[in-house]
Amino acid sequence: GAVVSQHPSRVICKSGTSVKIECRSLDFQATTMFWYRQFPKQSLMLMATSNEGSKATYEQGVEKDKFLINHASLTLSTLTVTSAHPEDSSFYICSARTRQGPSNQPQHFGDGTRLSIL
Amino acid sequence: EDQVTQSPEALRLQEGESSSLNCSYTVSGLRGLFWYRQDPGKGPEFLFTLYSAGEEKEKERLKATLTKKESFLHITAPKPEDSATYLCAVQAESGGYNKLIFGAGTRLAVHP
């Protein structure tokens, strides 16, 4: 149980392109999903928290107009990197937490998306 | 400020050589401490949740323990397939939407 699917796993595109990444909870409903960014040999940096049916909450320093988040249902959140540039190249990972039970249950992670902007 | 520090940064073990990974934390009200395993190019895989000091959890060769200031991940008789980065994360009362604060991880390499 608690499977999170992230798609695509890898994207290579030209500078200026917008890229959409999907995060789905396959066997549970997730009121809250999280988006992280990870640089090589570094830990996960939270970018934003996504709540179903409401606006995402962005961490300090993360541009909300650059990283658009939509959480349209209890099983799907999307991250769109708008007008991507080489400095946006990174490993993006989503996670989800079940809506059942207390809020201090574990987050379950997707397998990440490797974004490379040329 | 809530902080999570993991040590060592990297650890090299021979197969069968038991050891422990440390996760020290300073948070205002711990709501949970989580251990994850991350393989290269993959997302973190959930291992354990610990909620209160004195609690212990076990899974195969791994055992996690928790005190009021730190957590240990004990690895007994490790095998090469245990090689990965082990991440510790805490959820604090002060965190909005119950977000996790991650440590930098310990890169474990187990050699046959």
Side-chain angles (χ1 to χ4, degrees), chain B residues 6 8 19 23 36 38 40-41 61 67 85 87 91 93:
Chain B
Q6 289 188 247
S19 188
C23 172
Y36 289 87
Q38 186 176 25
R61 295 178 293 282
T67 71
T85 295
L87 299 170
Q91 184 178 338
E93 288 180 353

Side-chain angles (χ1 to χ4, degrees), chain A residues 82-99:
Chain A
T82 61
S83 187
H85 291 285
E87 59 266 28
D88 298 322
S89 298
S90 191
F91 191 51
Y92 292 88
I93 312 175
C94 73
S95 71
R97 187 175 60 219
T98 179
R99 68 190 297 229

